[in-house]
Amino acid sequence: MFKATTILAYKSKDVAVIGGDGQVTFGHTVLKSNATKIRKLYHGKVLAGFAGSTADAFKLFDMIEGILNEKRGDLLKSVIEFAKQWRSDKYLRQLEAMMIVLNRDNLFILSGTGDVVEPEDGELAAIGSGGSYAISAARALKKHSNLSPQEIVKESLMIAGDLCIYTNKNISMLELK
């Protein structure tokens, strides 16, 4: 389990949203509280967030963005190529990070072993040390409230920030409409 963050993504029929907290820890110490772990890729058409080692995540961001450019923004083809490269490269297999990538049509978790996972419901995905808290809250809020996807992501991350010592409430969010 990566102890550094919480990232939550929600893809509805109308909007794709990703959010993350800002905490970076070093052992049991908060090193930074306002880090940005989410970004837009491929001309603002793909959202991505990472959990794990920051240096490793920057390498993965660069890698997926390069593949997205090669595949002209086709996220499905890009994550498959990304996984092939991740699994076949001895150096990349040593990276300690996970990513969530999504656009208006697709949502994927890219694991630290080079796996590509499409969430069962195709709508919600979470990674990081507070990921279980955030996705549990998001599922409950989605089912039992009339909150918007943006509100569900934010409130779920706030709940994770209450429960996970490696997650704070300094939330950043991005969306695609």
Side-chain angles (χ1 to χ4, degrees), residues 17-18 42-43 57 59 69-70 80 83 94 96 102 125 132 147:
V17 182
I18 193 166
Y42 192 72
H43 314 294
K59 169 66 177 161
N69 286 328
E70 286 174 21
I80 291 168
Q94 304 303 313
E96 296 180 1
L102 71 154
S132 296
L147 296 176

PDB file of all heavy atoms in Angstrom, residues 17-18 42-43 57 59 69-70 80 83 94 96 102 125 132 147:
ATOM      1  N   VAL A  17     -14.354  13.536 -13.450  1.00  0.00           N
ATOM      2  CA  VAL A  17     -13.763  14.325 -12.371  1.00  0.00           C
ATOM      3  C   VAL A  17     -12.678  13.506 -11.692  1.00  0.00           C
ATOM      4  O   VAL A  17     -12.846  12.310 -11.462  1.00  0.00           O
ATOM      5  CB  VAL A  17     -14.822  14.705 -11.311  1.00  0.00           C
ATOM      6  CG1 VAL A  17     -14.206  15.563 -10.217  1.00  0.00           C
ATOM      7  CG2 VAL A  17     -16.012  15.391 -11.931  1.00  0.00           C
ATOM      8  N   ILE A  18     -11.576  14.180 -11.366  1.00  0.00           N
ATOM      9  CA  ILE A  18     -10.537  13.549 -10.554  1.00  0.00           C
ATOM     10  C   ILE A  18     -10.137  14.530  -9.464  1.00  0.00           C
ATOM     11  O   ILE A  18     -10.122  15.743  -9.687  1.00  0.00           O
ATOM     12  CB  ILE A  18      -9.322  13.114 -11.405  1.00  0.00           C
ATOM     13  CG1 ILE A  18      -8.407  12.172 -10.614  1.00  0.00           C
ATOM     14  CG2 ILE A  18      -8.559  14.317 -11.937  1.00  0.00           C
ATOM     15  CD1 ILE A  18      -7.392  11.435 -11.464  1.00  0.00           C
ATOM     16  N   TYR A  42      -2.706  15.279 -22.652  1.00  0.00           N
ATOM     17  CA  TYR A  42      -3.142  15.266 -24.046  1.00  0.00           C
ATOM     18  C   TYR A  42      -4.138  16.393 -24.361  1.00  0.00           C
ATOM     19  O   TYR A  42      -5.324  16.161 -24.550  1.00  0.00           O
ATOM     20  CB  TYR A  42      -3.717  13.911 -24.466  1.00  0.00           C
ATOM     21  CG  TYR A  42      -3.880  13.834 -25.971  1.00  0.00           C
ATOM     22  CD1 TYR A  42      -2.762  13.726 -26.781  1.00  0.00           C
ATOM     23  CD2 TYR A  42      -5.118  13.912 -26.559  1.00  0.00           C
ATOM     24  CE1 TYR A  42      -2.891  13.692 -28.152  1.00  0.00           C
ATOM     25  CE2 TYR A  42      -5.259  13.877 -27.936  1.00  0.00           C
ATOM     26  CZ  TYR A  42      -4.136  13.776 -28.725  1.00  0.00           C
ATOM     27  OH  TYR A  42      -4.259  13.761 -30.104  1.00  0.00           O
ATOM     28  N   HIS A  43      -3.602  17.596 -24.402  1.00  0.00           N
ATOM     29  CA  HIS A  43      -4.373  18.785 -24.783  1.00  0.00           C
ATOM     30  C   HIS A  43      -5.597  18.984 -23.900  1.00  0.00           C
ATOM     31  O   HIS A  43      -6.644  19.455 -24.360  1.00  0.00           O
ATOM     32  CB  HIS A  43      -4.780  18.734 -26.249  1.00  0.00           C
ATOM     33  CG  HIS A  43      -3.680  18.349 -27.179  1.00  0.00           C
ATOM     34  ND1 HIS A  43      -2.578  19.128 -27.392  1.00  0.00           N
ATOM     35  CD2 HIS A  43      -3.511  17.236 -27.935  1.00  0.00           C
ATOM     36  CE1 HIS A  43      -1.764  18.528 -28.244  1.00  0.00           C
ATOM     37  NE2 HIS A  43      -2.299  17.375 -28.583  1.00  0.00           N
ATOM     38  N   ALA A  57       6.276   8.860 -10.193  1.00  0.00           N
ATOM     39  CA  ALA A  57       5.039   9.321 -10.824  1.00  0.00           C
ATOM     40  C   ALA A  57       5.328  10.281 -11.972  1.00  0.00           C
ATOM     41  O   ALA A  57       4.663  10.215 -13.013  1.00  0.00           O
ATOM     42  CB  ALA A  57       4.142   9.984  -9.786  1.00  0.00           C
ATOM     43  N   LYS A  59       7.873  10.268 -13.930  1.00  0.00           N
ATOM     44  CA  LYS A  59       8.308   9.421 -15.039  1.00  0.00           C
ATOM     45  C   LYS A  59       7.089   8.795 -15.727  1.00  0.00           C
ATOM     46  O   LYS A  59       6.994   8.766 -16.953  1.00  0.00           O
ATOM     47  CB  LYS A  59       9.258   8.324 -14.518  1.00  0.00           C
ATOM     48  CG  LYS A  59       9.577   7.245 -15.510  1.00  0.00           C
ATOM     49  CD  LYS A  59      10.374   7.742 -16.689  1.00  0.00           C
ATOM     50  CE  LYS A  59      10.733   6.589 -17.614  1.00  0.00           C
ATOM     51  NZ  LYS A  59      11.096   7.040 -18.934  1.00  0.00           N
ATOM     52  N   ASN A  69       0.193  10.856 -27.105  1.00  0.00           N
ATOM     53  CA  ASN A  69       0.513  11.607 -28.333  1.00  0.00           C
ATOM     54  C   ASN A  69       0.693  10.669 -29.516  1.00  0.00           C
ATOM     55  O   ASN A  69       0.201  10.946 -30.610  1.00  0.00           O
ATOM     56  CB  ASN A  69       1.749  12.478 -28.122  1.00  0.00           C
ATOM     57  CG  ASN A  69       1.458  13.685 -27.260  1.00  0.00           C
ATOM     58  OD1 ASN A  69       0.360  14.233 -27.276  1.00  0.00           O
ATOM     59  ND2 ASN A  69       2.439  14.099 -26.480  1.00  0.00           N
ATOM     60  N   GLU A  70       1.390   9.547 -29.300  1.00  0.00           N
ATOM     61  CA  GLU A  70       1.576   8.562 -30.375  1.00  0.00           C
ATOM     62  C   GLU A  70       0.243   7.991 -30.847  1.00  0.00           C
ATOM     63  O   GLU A  70       0.040   7.762 -32.035  1.00  0.00           O
ATOM     64  CB  GLU A  70       2.431   7.386 -29.886  1.00  0.00           C
ATOM     65  CG  GLU A  70       3.886   7.662 -29.724  1.00  0.00           C
ATOM     66  CD  GLU A  70       4.606   6.473 -29.104  1.00  0.00           C
ATOM     67  OE1 GLU A  70       4.090   5.331 -29.153  1.00  0.00           O
ATOM     68  OE2 GLU A  70       5.698   6.689 -28.543  1.00  0.00           O
ATOM     69  N   ILE A  80      -3.041   0.285 -22.890  1.00  0.00           N
ATOM     70  CA  ILE A  80      -2.556  -1.055 -23.242  1.00  0.00           C
ATOM     71  C   ILE A  80      -1.073  -0.989 -23.609  1.00  0.00           C
ATOM     72  O   ILE A  80      -0.267  -1.793 -23.136  1.00  0.00           O
ATOM     73  CB  ILE A  80      -3.396  -1.667 -24.382  1.00  0.00           C
ATOM     74  CG1 ILE A  80      -4.809  -1.976 -23.854  1.00  0.00           C
ATOM     75  CG2 ILE A  80      -2.733  -2.920 -24.942  1.00  0.00           C
ATOM     76  CD1 ILE A  80      -5.818  -2.307 -24.920  1.00  0.00           C
ATOM     77  N   ALA A  83       0.980  -0.354 -20.451  1.00  0.00           N
ATOM     78  CA  ALA A  83       1.174  -1.572 -19.660  1.00  0.00           C
ATOM     79  C   ALA A  83       2.235  -2.474 -20.277  1.00  0.00           C
ATOM     80  O   ALA A  83       3.065  -3.047 -19.565  1.00  0.00           O
ATOM     81  CB  ALA A  83      -0.152  -2.323 -19.519  1.00  0.00           C
ATOM     82  N   GLN A  94      10.408  -1.457 -11.376  1.00  0.00           N
ATOM     83  CA  GLN A  94      10.853  -1.113 -10.030  1.00  0.00           C
ATOM     84  C   GLN A  94      10.180   0.150  -9.485  1.00  0.00           C
ATOM     85  O   GLN A  94      10.373   0.504  -8.331  1.00  0.00           O
ATOM     86  CB  GLN A  94      12.377  -0.905 -10.019  1.00  0.00           C
ATOM     87  CG  GLN A  94      13.162  -2.091 -10.525  1.00  0.00           C
ATOM     88  CD  GLN A  94      12.873  -3.367  -9.763  1.00  0.00           C
ATOM     89  OE1 GLN A  94      12.854  -3.375  -8.545  1.00  0.00           O
ATOM     90  NE2 GLN A  94      12.625  -4.449 -10.480  1.00  0.00           N
ATOM     91  N   GLU A  96       7.588   2.675  -7.865  1.00  0.00           N
ATOM     92  CA  GLU A  96       6.612   2.529  -6.786  1.00  0.00           C
ATOM     93  C   GLU A  96       5.547   3.604  -6.911  1.00  0.00           C
ATOM     94  O   GLU A  96       5.557   4.598  -6.187  1.00  0.00           O
ATOM     95  CB  GLU A  96       7.317   2.609  -5.436  1.00  0.00           C
ATOM     96  CG  GLU A  96       8.296   1.476  -5.209  1.00  0.00           C
ATOM     97  CD  GLU A  96       8.987   1.557  -3.866  1.00  0.00           C
ATOM     98  OE1 GLU A  96       8.690   2.478  -3.090  1.00  0.00           O
ATOM     99  OE2 GLU A  96       9.833   0.704  -3.598  1.00  0.00           O
ATOM    100  N   LEU A 102      -8.324   8.882 -16.909  1.00  0.00           N
ATOM    101  CA  LEU A 102      -9.693   8.838 -17.410  1.00  0.00           C
ATOM    102  C   LEU A 102      -9.942   9.959 -18.395  1.00  0.00           C
ATOM    103  O   LEU A 102      -9.232  10.965 -18.419  1.00  0.00           O
ATOM    104  CB  LEU A 102     -10.707   8.922 -16.268  1.00  0.00           C
ATOM    105  CG  LEU A 102     -10.877  10.246 -15.532  1.00  0.00           C
ATOM    106  CD1 LEU A 102     -12.284  10.325 -14.931  1.00  0.00           C
ATOM    107  CD2 LEU A 102      -9.852  10.398 -14.427  1.00  0.00           C
ATOM    108  N   ALA A 125     -13.098   5.084  -9.159  1.00  0.00           N
ATOM    109  CA  ALA A 125     -11.816   4.433  -8.904  1.00  0.00           C
ATOM    110  C   ALA A 125     -11.050   5.271  -7.894  1.00  0.00           C
ATOM    111  O   ALA A 125     -11.148   6.504  -7.897  1.00  0.00           O
ATOM    112  CB  ALA A 125     -11.006   4.295 -10.184  1.00  0.00           C
ATOM    113  N   SER A 132      -9.463   3.431  -0.090  1.00  0.00           N
ATOM    114  CA  SER A 132     -10.610   2.623   0.352  1.00  0.00           C
ATOM    115  C   SER A 132     -11.655   3.479   1.054  1.00  0.00           C
ATOM    116  O   SER A 132     -12.856   3.288   0.874  1.00  0.00           O
ATOM    117  CB  SER A 132     -10.154   1.506   1.286  1.00  0.00           C
ATOM    118  OG  SER A 132      -9.315   0.618   0.589  1.00  0.00           O
ATOM    119  N   LEU A 147     -25.994  14.662  -4.775  1.00  0.00           N
ATOM    120  CA  LEU A 147     -24.810  15.472  -5.014  1.00  0.00           C
ATOM    121  C   LEU A 147     -24.304  15.277  -6.439  1.00  0.00           C
ATOM    122  O   LEU A 147     -24.437  14.201  -7.023  1.00  0.00           O
ATOM    123  CB  LEU A 147     -23.701  15.108  -4.028  1.00  0.00           C
ATOM    124  CG  LEU A 147     -23.966  15.381  -2.546  1.00  0.00           C
ATOM    125  CD1 LEU A 147     -22.812  14.868  -1.707  1.00  0.00           C
ATOM    126  CD2 LEU A 147     -24.184  16.870  -2.313  1.00  0.00           C
TER     127      LEU A 147
END
